[in-house]
Amino acid sequence: MTSQHDPDRWSRLTAVAGEALAAAKVGEDAVAVDLVTGFLSGSPEGNEEIRELVLLLFSECSGMVAALGSGGATPVKMQVFDEDGQEVPIDDADPPVRTAIRTLLAEVHGDEEAAAEQIEIALANGAPQELATVVLQALRWTVKLAAECRTRDLEVPDWIADSLEE
């Protein structure tokens, strides 16, 4: 998980994630993914920072899922849809989507090590497009969960709320 003990690194990662979230919110998927993978891969710690940023997003998603699920009138449900809007069984989803789901579920269940392993696999073995899909899923879920938390007057992490303000 991202070390908040290094304020410069934390600021850098949340700034990049915030810009990517703002782009994802308005449907600029390529820009959003590029901000995460392109900008950070140019740094000396490229893959490490990408891993930390993606895990940060999944961790924040997990916190929002927990907030939505505790005492909420509507339970949180994981669903995967194809291009036509039809629900697809999770096991039939594309591999990067399954990776994203496994990562989020590991975070929701408090298994940060398993979440990190999923992202490591995506970084080590996945093609750039597969990593982009995992990043995009994390961004989209963060945007949607933040919107739902706001609708229900639940707390959204400040850096996410600031990034998604209109």
PDB file of all heavy atoms in Angstrom, residues 58-97:
ATOM      1  N   PHE A  58      -7.717   0.902  -5.493  1.00  0.00           N
ATOM      2  CA  PHE A  58      -8.491  -0.251  -5.026  1.00  0.00           C
ATOM      3  C   PHE A  58      -8.736  -0.191  -3.521  1.00  0.00           C
ATOM      4  O   PHE A  58      -9.808  -0.564  -3.046  1.00  0.00           O
ATOM      5  CB  PHE A  58      -7.818  -1.572  -5.413  1.00  0.00           C
ATOM      6  CG  PHE A  58      -8.061  -1.972  -6.831  1.00  0.00           C
ATOM      7  CD1 PHE A  58      -7.021  -2.024  -7.744  1.00  0.00           C
ATOM      8  CD2 PHE A  58      -9.332  -2.305  -7.277  1.00  0.00           C
ATOM      9  CE1 PHE A  58      -7.244  -2.405  -9.065  1.00  0.00           C
ATOM     10  CE2 PHE A  58      -9.565  -2.686  -8.590  1.00  0.00           C
ATOM     11  CZ  PHE A  58      -8.514  -2.726  -9.488  1.00  0.00           C
ATOM     12  N   SER A  59      -7.766   0.300  -2.773  1.00  0.00           N
ATOM     13  CA  SER A  59      -7.945   0.436  -1.330  1.00  0.00           C
ATOM     14  C   SER A  59      -9.044   1.452  -1.018  1.00  0.00           C
ATOM     15  O   SER A  59      -9.902   1.219  -0.146  1.00  0.00           O
ATOM     16  CB  SER A  59      -6.628   0.869  -0.684  1.00  0.00           C
ATOM     17  OG  SER A  59      -6.801   1.097   0.687  1.00  0.00           O
ATOM     18  N   GLU A  60      -9.031   2.574  -1.727  1.00  0.00           N
ATOM     19  CA  GLU A  60     -10.071   3.587  -1.520  1.00  0.00           C
ATOM     20  C   GLU A  60     -11.431   3.039  -1.941  1.00  0.00           C
ATOM     21  O   GLU A  60     -12.442   3.300  -1.278  1.00  0.00           O
ATOM     22  CB  GLU A  60      -9.739   4.869  -2.279  1.00  0.00           C
ATOM     23  CG  GLU A  60      -8.446   5.548  -1.845  1.00  0.00           C
ATOM     24  CD  GLU A  60      -8.490   6.185  -0.465  1.00  0.00           C
ATOM     25  OE1 GLU A  60      -9.335   5.833   0.382  1.00  0.00           O
ATOM     26  OE2 GLU A  60      -7.648   7.065  -0.207  1.00  0.00           O
ATOM     27  N   CYS A  61     -11.470   2.274  -3.036  1.00  0.00           N
ATOM     28  CA  CYS A  61     -12.730   1.630  -3.461  1.00  0.00           C
ATOM     29  C   CYS A  61     -13.233   0.711  -2.356  1.00  0.00           C
ATOM     30  O   CYS A  61     -14.421   0.695  -2.031  1.00  0.00           O
ATOM     31  CB  CYS A  61     -12.526   0.818  -4.736  1.00  0.00           C
ATOM     32  SG  CYS A  61     -12.444   1.786  -6.244  1.00  0.00           S
ATOM     33  N   SER A  62     -12.331  -0.046  -1.784  1.00  0.00           N
ATOM     34  CA  SER A  62     -12.696  -0.977  -0.713  1.00  0.00           C
ATOM     35  C   SER A  62     -13.311  -0.237   0.463  1.00  0.00           C
ATOM     36  O   SER A  62     -14.334  -0.661   1.024  1.00  0.00           O
ATOM     37  CB  SER A  62     -11.452  -1.746  -0.252  1.00  0.00           C
ATOM     38  OG  SER A  62     -11.729  -2.500   0.896  1.00  0.00           O
ATOM     39  N   GLY A  63     -12.717   0.885   0.838  1.00  0.00           N
ATOM     40  CA  GLY A  63     -13.262   1.683   1.934  1.00  0.00           C
ATOM     41  C   GLY A  63     -14.655   2.201   1.625  1.00  0.00           C
ATOM     42  O   GLY A  63     -15.539   2.204   2.489  1.00  0.00           O
ATOM     43  N   MET A  64     -14.861   2.603   0.374  1.00  0.00           N
ATOM     44  CA  MET A  64     -16.183   3.104  -0.005  1.00  0.00           C
ATOM     45  C   MET A  64     -17.197   1.965  -0.081  1.00  0.00           C
ATOM     46  O   MET A  64     -18.355   2.135   0.304  1.00  0.00           O
ATOM     47  CB  MET A  64     -16.097   3.887  -1.314  1.00  0.00           C
ATOM     48  CG  MET A  64     -15.371   5.226  -1.144  1.00  0.00           C
ATOM     49  SD  MET A  64     -15.367   6.273  -2.626  1.00  0.00           S
ATOM     50  CE  MET A  64     -14.101   5.475  -3.618  1.00  0.00           C
ATOM     51  N   VAL A  65     -16.770   0.790  -0.546  1.00  0.00           N
ATOM     52  CA  VAL A  65     -17.658  -0.379  -0.555  1.00  0.00           C
ATOM     53  C   VAL A  65     -18.085  -0.706   0.875  1.00  0.00           C
ATOM     54  O   VAL A  65     -19.261  -0.960   1.145  1.00  0.00           O
ATOM     55  CB  VAL A  65     -16.981  -1.607  -1.222  1.00  0.00           C
ATOM     56  CG1 VAL A  65     -17.742  -2.891  -0.931  1.00  0.00           C
ATOM     57  CG2 VAL A  65     -16.858  -1.399  -2.725  1.00  0.00           C
ATOM     58  N   ALA A  66     -17.132  -0.661   1.799  1.00  0.00           N
ATOM     59  CA  ALA A  66     -17.445  -0.943   3.206  1.00  0.00           C
ATOM     60  C   ALA A  66     -18.443   0.080   3.745  1.00  0.00           C
ATOM     61  O   ALA A  66     -19.400  -0.279   4.433  1.00  0.00           O
ATOM     62  CB  ALA A  66     -16.167  -0.945   4.040  1.00  0.00           C
ATOM     63  N   ALA A  67     -18.229   1.346   3.426  1.00  0.00           N
ATOM     64  CA  ALA A  67     -19.146   2.391   3.897  1.00  0.00           C
ATOM     65  C   ALA A  67     -20.538   2.187   3.312  1.00  0.00           C
ATOM     66  O   ALA A  67     -21.542   2.326   4.012  1.00  0.00           O
ATOM     67  CB  ALA A  67     -18.607   3.771   3.515  1.00  0.00           C
ATOM     68  N   LEU A  68     -20.595   1.853   2.039  1.00  0.00           N
ATOM     69  CA  LEU A  68     -21.889   1.638   1.391  1.00  0.00           C
ATOM     70  C   LEU A  68     -22.590   0.397   1.924  1.00  0.00           C
ATOM     71  O   LEU A  68     -23.812   0.358   2.011  1.00  0.00           O
ATOM     72  CB  LEU A  68     -21.709   1.512  -0.127  1.00  0.00           C
ATOM     73  CG  LEU A  68     -21.366   2.805  -0.850  1.00  0.00           C
ATOM     74  CD1 LEU A  68     -20.827   2.512  -2.246  1.00  0.00           C
ATOM     75  CD2 LEU A  68     -22.582   3.717  -0.926  1.00  0.00           C
ATOM     76  N   GLY A  69     -21.814  -0.613   2.271  1.00  0.00           N
ATOM     77  CA  GLY A  69     -22.397  -1.870   2.730  1.00  0.00           C
ATOM     78  C   GLY A  69     -22.821  -1.879   4.180  1.00  0.00           C
ATOM     79  O   GLY A  69     -23.681  -2.663   4.572  1.00  0.00           O
ATOM     80  N   SER A  70     -22.257  -0.999   5.007  1.00  0.00           N
ATOM     81  CA  SER A  70     -22.600  -1.023   6.427  1.00  0.00           C
ATOM     82  C   SER A  70     -23.869  -0.228   6.678  1.00  0.00           C
ATOM     83  O   SER A  70     -23.883   0.987   6.602  1.00  0.00           O
ATOM     84  CB  SER A  70     -21.448  -0.488   7.283  1.00  0.00           C
ATOM     85  OG  SER A  70     -21.138   0.825   6.929  1.00  0.00           O
ATOM     86  N   GLY A  71     -24.927  -0.968   6.903  1.00  0.00           N
ATOM     87  CA  GLY A  71     -26.196  -0.339   7.224  1.00  0.00           C
ATOM     88  C   GLY A  71     -26.895   0.306   6.039  1.00  0.00           C
ATOM     89  O   GLY A  71     -27.912   0.955   6.197  1.00  0.00           O
ATOM     90  N   GLY A  72     -26.342   0.122   4.854  1.00  0.00           N
ATOM     91  CA  GLY A  72     -26.951   0.727   3.676  1.00  0.00           C
ATOM     92  C   GLY A  72     -28.242   0.020   3.285  1.00  0.00           C
ATOM     93  O   GLY A  72     -28.395  -1.172   3.489  1.00  0.00           O
ATOM     94  N   ALA A  73     -29.156   0.777   2.736  1.00  0.00           N
ATOM     95  CA  ALA A  73     -30.436   0.207   2.304  1.00  0.00           C
ATOM     96  C   ALA A  73     -30.250  -0.661   1.062  1.00  0.00           C
ATOM     97  O   ALA A  73     -30.977  -1.617   0.859  1.00  0.00           O
ATOM     98  CB  ALA A  73     -31.419   1.336   2.006  1.00  0.00           C
ATOM     99  N   THR A  74     -29.250  -0.321   0.249  1.00  0.00           N
ATOM    100  CA  THR A  74     -28.995  -1.071  -0.972  1.00  0.00           C
ATOM    101  C   THR A  74     -27.629  -1.724  -0.868  1.00  0.00           C
ATOM    102  O   THR A  74     -26.627  -1.031  -0.699  1.00  0.00           O
ATOM    103  CB  THR A  74     -29.006  -0.119  -2.191  1.00  0.00           C
ATOM    104  OG1 THR A  74     -30.206   0.636  -2.173  1.00  0.00           O
ATOM    105  CG2 THR A  74     -28.907  -0.895  -3.478  1.00  0.00           C
ATOM    106  N   PRO A  75     -27.562  -3.051  -0.957  1.00  0.00           N
ATOM    107  CA  PRO A  75     -26.256  -3.709  -0.866  1.00  0.00           C
ATOM    108  C   PRO A  75     -25.391  -3.403  -2.087  1.00  0.00           C
ATOM    109  O   PRO A  75     -25.898  -3.032  -3.140  1.00  0.00           O
ATOM    110  CB  PRO A  75     -26.608  -5.201  -0.807  1.00  0.00           C
ATOM    111  CG  PRO A  75     -27.980  -5.309  -1.371  1.00  0.00           C
ATOM    112  CD  PRO A  75     -28.648  -3.994  -1.146  1.00  0.00           C
ATOM    113  N   VAL A  76     -24.090  -3.578  -1.917  1.00  0.00           N
ATOM    114  CA  VAL A  76     -23.150  -3.387  -3.004  1.00  0.00           C
ATOM    115  C   VAL A  76     -23.046  -4.705  -3.756  1.00  0.00           C
ATOM    116  O   VAL A  76     -22.871  -5.759  -3.156  1.00  0.00           O
ATOM    117  CB  VAL A  76     -21.766  -2.960  -2.470  1.00  0.00           C
ATOM    118  CG1 VAL A  76     -20.769  -2.820  -3.594  1.00  0.00           C
ATOM    119  CG2 VAL A  76     -21.879  -1.671  -1.674  1.00  0.00           C
ATOM    120  N   LYS A  77     -23.174  -4.638  -5.084  1.00  0.00           N
ATOM    121  CA  LYS A  77     -23.147  -5.848  -5.907  1.00  0.00           C
ATOM    122  C   LYS A  77     -22.117  -5.668  -7.006  1.00  0.00           C
ATOM    123  O   LYS A  77     -22.088  -4.628  -7.662  1.00  0.00           O
ATOM    124  CB  LYS A  77     -24.540  -6.074  -6.515  1.00  0.00           C
ATOM    125  CG  LYS A  77     -24.648  -7.304  -7.373  1.00  0.00           C
ATOM    126  CD  LYS A  77     -26.063  -7.465  -7.896  1.00  0.00           C
ATOM    127  CE  LYS A  77     -26.164  -8.684  -8.789  1.00  0.00           C
ATOM    128  NZ  LYS A  77     -27.498  -8.839  -9.359  1.00  0.00           N
ATOM    129  N   MET A  78     -21.280  -6.679  -7.189  1.00  0.00           N
ATOM    130  CA  MET A  78     -20.298  -6.658  -8.271  1.00  0.00           C
ATOM    131  C   MET A  78     -20.936  -7.260  -9.516  1.00  0.00           C
ATOM    132  O   MET A  78     -21.472  -8.357  -9.465  1.00  0.00           O
ATOM    133  CB  MET A  78     -19.068  -7.500  -7.899  1.00  0.00           C
ATOM    134  CG  MET A  78     -18.251  -6.965  -6.757  1.00  0.00           C
ATOM    135  SD  MET A  78     -17.255  -5.538  -7.176  1.00  0.00           S
ATOM    136  CE  MET A  78     -16.201  -6.173  -8.444  1.00  0.00           C
ATOM    137  N   GLN A  79     -20.874  -6.522 -10.619  1.00  0.00           N
ATOM    138  CA  GLN A  79     -21.397  -7.004 -11.884  1.00  0.00           C
ATOM    139  C   GLN A  79     -20.425  -6.649 -12.995  1.00  0.00           C
ATOM    140  O   GLN A  79     -19.733  -5.635 -12.925  1.00  0.00           O
ATOM    141  CB  GLN A  79     -22.745  -6.361 -12.203  1.00  0.00           C
ATOM    142  CG  GLN A  79     -23.856  -6.739 -11.253  1.00  0.00           C
ATOM    143  CD  GLN A  79     -25.115  -5.950 -11.563  1.00  0.00           C
ATOM    144  OE1 GLN A  79     -25.168  -4.763 -11.289  1.00  0.00           O
ATOM    145  NE2 GLN A  79     -26.096  -6.614 -12.133  1.00  0.00           N
ATOM    146  N   VAL A  80     -20.405  -7.505 -14.016  1.00  0.00           N
ATOM    147  CA  VAL A  80     -19.587  -7.262 -15.192  1.00  0.00           C
ATOM    148  C   VAL A  80     -20.526  -7.270 -16.392  1.00  0.00           C
ATOM    149  O   VAL A  80     -21.391  -8.141 -16.503  1.00  0.00           O
ATOM    150  CB  VAL A  80     -18.504  -8.354 -15.348  1.00  0.00           C
ATOM    151  CG1 VAL A  80     -17.690  -8.129 -16.605  1.00  0.00           C
ATOM    152  CG2 VAL A  80     -17.606  -8.410 -14.123  1.00  0.00           C
ATOM    153  N   PHE A  81     -20.337  -6.289 -17.278  1.00  0.00           N
ATOM    154  CA  PHE A  81     -21.185  -6.183 -18.463  1.00  0.00           C
ATOM    155  C   PHE A  81     -20.334  -6.213 -19.721  1.00  0.00           C
ATOM    156  O   PHE A  81     -19.197  -5.729 -19.716  1.00  0.00           O
ATOM    157  CB  PHE A  81     -21.983  -4.871 -18.422  1.00  0.00           C
ATOM    158  CG  PHE A  81     -22.923  -4.790 -17.254  1.00  0.00           C
ATOM    159  CD1 PHE A  81     -22.539  -4.173 -16.075  1.00  0.00           C
ATOM    160  CD2 PHE A  81     -24.190  -5.344 -17.323  1.00  0.00           C
ATOM    161  CE1 PHE A  81     -23.394  -4.104 -14.983  1.00  0.00           C
ATOM    162  CE2 PHE A  81     -25.056  -5.275 -16.246  1.00  0.00           C
ATOM    163  CZ  PHE A  81     -24.655  -4.658 -15.068  1.00  0.00           C
ATOM    164  N   ASP A  82     -20.900  -6.768 -20.801  1.00  0.00           N
ATOM    165  CA  ASP A  82     -20.204  -6.756 -22.085  1.00  0.00           C
ATOM    166  C   ASP A  82     -20.493  -5.450 -22.819  1.00  0.00           C
ATOM    167  O   ASP A  82     -21.169  -4.563 -22.288  1.00  0.00           O
ATOM    168  CB  ASP A  82     -20.562  -7.986 -22.923  1.00  0.00           C
ATOM    169  CG  ASP A  82     -22.036  -8.041 -23.330  1.00  0.00           C
ATOM    170  OD1 ASP A  82     -22.739  -7.010 -23.242  1.00  0.00           O
ATOM    171  OD2 ASP A  82     -22.481  -9.130 -23.738  1.00  0.00           O
ATOM    172  N   GLU A  83     -19.985  -5.345 -24.056  1.00  0.00           N
ATOM    173  CA  GLU A  83     -20.139  -4.117 -24.836  1.00  0.00           C
ATOM    174  C   GLU A  83     -21.599  -3.778 -25.096  1.00  0.00           C
ATOM    175  O   GLU A  83     -21.957  -2.626 -25.327  1.00  0.00           O
ATOM    176  CB  GLU A  83     -19.420  -4.232 -26.191  1.00  0.00           C
ATOM    177  CG  GLU A  83     -17.946  -4.551 -26.105  1.00  0.00           C
ATOM    178  CD  GLU A  83     -17.678  -6.050 -25.930  1.00  0.00           C
ATOM    179  OE1 GLU A  83     -18.428  -6.895 -26.446  1.00  0.00           O
ATOM    180  OE2 GLU A  83     -16.700  -6.371 -25.246  1.00  0.00           O
ATOM    181  N   ASP A  84     -22.470  -4.801 -25.101  1.00  0.00           N
ATOM    182  CA  ASP A  84     -23.896  -4.589 -25.370  1.00  0.00           C
ATOM    183  C   ASP A  84     -24.709  -4.310 -24.110  1.00  0.00           C
ATOM    184  O   ASP A  84     -25.929  -4.209 -24.176  1.00  0.00           O
ATOM    185  CB  ASP A  84     -24.483  -5.824 -26.080  1.00  0.00           C
ATOM    186  CG  ASP A  84     -23.792  -6.090 -27.403  1.00  0.00           C
ATOM    187  OD1 ASP A  84     -23.439  -5.116 -28.094  1.00  0.00           O
ATOM    188  OD2 ASP A  84     -23.588  -7.274 -27.730  1.00  0.00           O
ATOM    189  N   GLY A  85     -24.025  -4.225 -22.964  1.00  0.00           N
ATOM    190  CA  GLY A  85     -24.720  -3.958 -21.713  1.00  0.00           C
ATOM    191  C   GLY A  85     -25.325  -5.184 -21.052  1.00  0.00           C
ATOM    192  O   GLY A  85     -26.071  -5.065 -20.087  1.00  0.00           O
ATOM    193  N   GLN A  86     -24.973  -6.366 -21.563  1.00  0.00           N
ATOM    194  CA  GLN A  86     -25.484  -7.610 -20.980  1.00  0.00           C
ATOM    195  C   GLN A  86     -24.550  -8.072 -19.864  1.00  0.00           C
ATOM    196  O   GLN A  86     -23.325  -8.032 -20.017  1.00  0.00           O
ATOM    197  CB  GLN A  86     -25.578  -8.703 -22.056  1.00  0.00           C
ATOM    198  CG  GLN A  86     -26.506  -8.358 -23.199  1.00  0.00           C
ATOM    199  CD  GLN A  86     -27.942  -8.182 -22.743  1.00  0.00           C
ATOM    200  OE1 GLN A  86     -28.486  -9.016 -22.035  1.00  0.00           O
ATOM    201  NE2 GLN A  86     -28.545  -7.068 -23.120  1.00  0.00           N
ATOM    202  N   GLU A  87     -25.137  -8.531 -18.753  1.00  0.00           N
ATOM    203  CA  GLU A  87     -24.319  -9.010 -17.647  1.00  0.00           C
ATOM    204  C   GLU A  87     -23.580 -10.276 -18.055  1.00  0.00           C
ATOM    205  O   GLU A  87     -24.127 -11.148 -18.726  1.00  0.00           O
ATOM    206  CB  GLU A  87     -25.183  -9.273 -16.413  1.00  0.00           C
ATOM    207  CG  GLU A  87     -24.348  -9.595 -15.185  1.00  0.00           C
ATOM    208  CD  GLU A  87     -25.153  -9.653 -13.906  1.00  0.00           C
ATOM    209  OE1 GLU A  87     -26.378  -9.448 -13.940  1.00  0.00           O
ATOM    210  OE2 GLU A  87     -24.530  -9.905 -12.864  1.00  0.00           O
ATOM    211  N   VAL A  88     -22.328 -10.364 -17.649  1.00  0.00           N
ATOM    212  CA  VAL A  88     -21.465 -11.499 -17.952  1.00  0.00           C
ATOM    213  C   VAL A  88     -21.039 -12.116 -16.619  1.00  0.00           C
ATOM    214  O   VAL A  88     -20.659 -11.385 -15.698  1.00  0.00           O
ATOM    215  CB  VAL A  88     -20.201 -11.023 -18.718  1.00  0.00           C
ATOM    216  CG1 VAL A  88     -19.233 -12.153 -18.950  1.00  0.00           C
ATOM    217  CG2 VAL A  88     -20.575 -10.340 -20.011  1.00  0.00           C
ATOM    218  N   PRO A  89     -21.078 -13.454 -16.488  1.00  0.00           N
ATOM    219  CA  PRO A  89     -20.555 -14.068 -15.267  1.00  0.00           C
ATOM    220  C   PRO A  89     -19.087 -13.655 -15.069  1.00  0.00           C
ATOM    221  O   PRO A  89     -18.330 -13.568 -16.054  1.00  0.00           O
ATOM    222  CB  PRO A  89     -20.673 -15.566 -15.529  1.00  0.00           C
ATOM    223  CG  PRO A  89     -21.723 -15.692 -16.583  1.00  0.00           C
ATOM    224  CD  PRO A  89     -21.607 -14.447 -17.421  1.00  0.00           C
ATOM    225  N   ILE A  90     -18.709 -13.392 -13.838  1.00  0.00           N
ATOM    226  CA  ILE A  90     -17.351 -12.925 -13.555  1.00  0.00           C
ATOM    227  C   ILE A  90     -16.304 -13.866 -14.145  1.00  0.00           C
ATOM    228  O   ILE A  90     -15.311 -13.418 -14.709  1.00  0.00           O
ATOM    229  CB  ILE A  90     -17.155 -12.712 -12.031  1.00  0.00           C
ATOM    230  CG1 ILE A  90     -17.989 -11.512 -11.591  1.00  0.00           C
ATOM    231  CG2 ILE A  90     -15.685 -12.514 -11.687  1.00  0.00           C
ATOM    232  CD1 ILE A  90     -18.022 -11.278 -10.100  1.00  0.00           C
ATOM    233  N   ASP A  91     -16.530 -15.177 -14.061  1.00  0.00           N
ATOM    234  CA  ASP A  91     -15.559 -16.132 -14.591  1.00  0.00           C
ATOM    235  C   ASP A  91     -15.418 -16.051 -16.106  1.00  0.00           C
ATOM    236  O   ASP A  91     -14.432 -16.530 -16.663  1.00  0.00           O
ATOM    237  CB  ASP A  91     -15.930 -17.565 -14.188  1.00  0.00           C
ATOM    238  CG  ASP A  91     -15.750 -17.792 -12.697  1.00  0.00           C
ATOM    239  OD1 ASP A  91     -14.958 -17.056 -12.071  1.00  0.00           O
ATOM    240  OD2 ASP A  91     -16.404 -18.701 -12.162  1.00  0.00           O
ATOM    241  N   ASP A  92     -16.393 -15.455 -16.785  1.00  0.00           N
ATOM    242  CA  ASP A  92     -16.336 -15.310 -18.239  1.00  0.00           C
ATOM    243  C   ASP A  92     -15.816 -13.946 -18.673  1.00  0.00           C
ATOM    244  O   ASP A  92     -15.703 -13.679 -19.871  1.00  0.00           O
ATOM    245  CB  ASP A  92     -17.729 -15.536 -18.855  1.00  0.00           C
ATOM    246  CG  ASP A  92     -18.214 -16.965 -18.684  1.00  0.00           C
ATOM    247  OD1 ASP A  92     -17.380 -17.865 -18.434  1.00  0.00           O
ATOM    248  OD2 ASP A  92     -19.442 -17.175 -18.788  1.00  0.00           O
ATOM    249  N   ALA A  93     -15.511 -13.095 -17.722  1.00  0.00           N
ATOM    250  CA  ALA A  93     -14.995 -11.764 -18.046  1.00  0.00           C
ATOM    251  C   ALA A  93     -13.578 -11.888 -18.607  1.00  0.00           C
ATOM    252  O   ALA A  93     -12.880 -12.881 -18.395  1.00  0.00           O
ATOM    253  CB  ALA A  93     -14.990 -10.886 -16.797  1.00  0.00           C
ATOM    254  N   ASP A  94     -13.155 -10.854 -19.319  1.00  0.00           N
ATOM    255  CA  ASP A  94     -11.788 -10.816 -19.838  1.00  0.00           C
ATOM    256  C   ASP A  94     -10.799 -10.900 -18.675  1.00  0.00           C
ATOM    257  O   ASP A  94     -11.068 -10.380 -17.581  1.00  0.00           O
ATOM    258  CB  ASP A  94     -11.546  -9.521 -20.614  1.00  0.00           C
ATOM    259  CG  ASP A  94     -12.321  -9.474 -21.916  1.00  0.00           C
ATOM    260  OD1 ASP A  94     -12.659 -10.546 -22.451  1.00  0.00           O
ATOM    261  OD2 ASP A  94     -12.589  -8.356 -22.391  1.00  0.00           O
ATOM    262  N   PRO A  95      -9.612 -11.512 -18.899  1.00  0.00           N
ATOM    263  CA  PRO A  95      -8.629 -11.669 -17.812  1.00  0.00           C
ATOM    264  C   PRO A  95      -8.300 -10.382 -17.051  1.00  0.00           C
ATOM    265  O   PRO A  95      -8.255 -10.414 -15.818  1.00  0.00           O
ATOM    266  CB  PRO A  95      -7.404 -12.250 -18.529  1.00  0.00           C
ATOM    267  CG  PRO A  95      -7.997 -13.016 -19.673  1.00  0.00           C
ATOM    268  CD  PRO A  95      -9.183 -12.190 -20.126  1.00  0.00           C
ATOM    269  N   PRO A  96      -8.097  -9.228 -17.708  1.00  0.00           N
ATOM    270  CA  PRO A  96      -7.778  -8.043 -16.901  1.00  0.00           C
ATOM    271  C   PRO A  96      -8.943  -7.585 -16.022  1.00  0.00           C
ATOM    272  O   PRO A  96      -8.729  -7.053 -14.928  1.00  0.00           O
ATOM    273  CB  PRO A  96      -7.406  -6.974 -17.922  1.00  0.00           C
ATOM    274  CG  PRO A  96      -7.722  -7.516 -19.257  1.00  0.00           C
ATOM    275  CD  PRO A  96      -7.958  -8.977 -19.132  1.00  0.00           C
ATOM    276  N   VAL A  97     -10.167  -7.811 -16.477  1.00  0.00           N
ATOM    277  CA  VAL A  97     -11.332  -7.462 -15.662  1.00  0.00           C
ATOM    278  C   VAL A  97     -11.402  -8.396 -14.454  1.00  0.00           C
ATOM    279  O   VAL A  97     -11.664  -7.957 -13.333  1.00  0.00           O
ATOM    280  CB  VAL A  97     -12.632  -7.500 -16.493  1.00  0.00           C
ATOM    281  CG1 VAL A  97     -13.852  -7.274 -15.622  1.00  0.00           C
ATOM    282  CG2 VAL A  97     -12.570  -6.465 -17.614  1.00  0.00           C
TER     283      VAL A  97
END
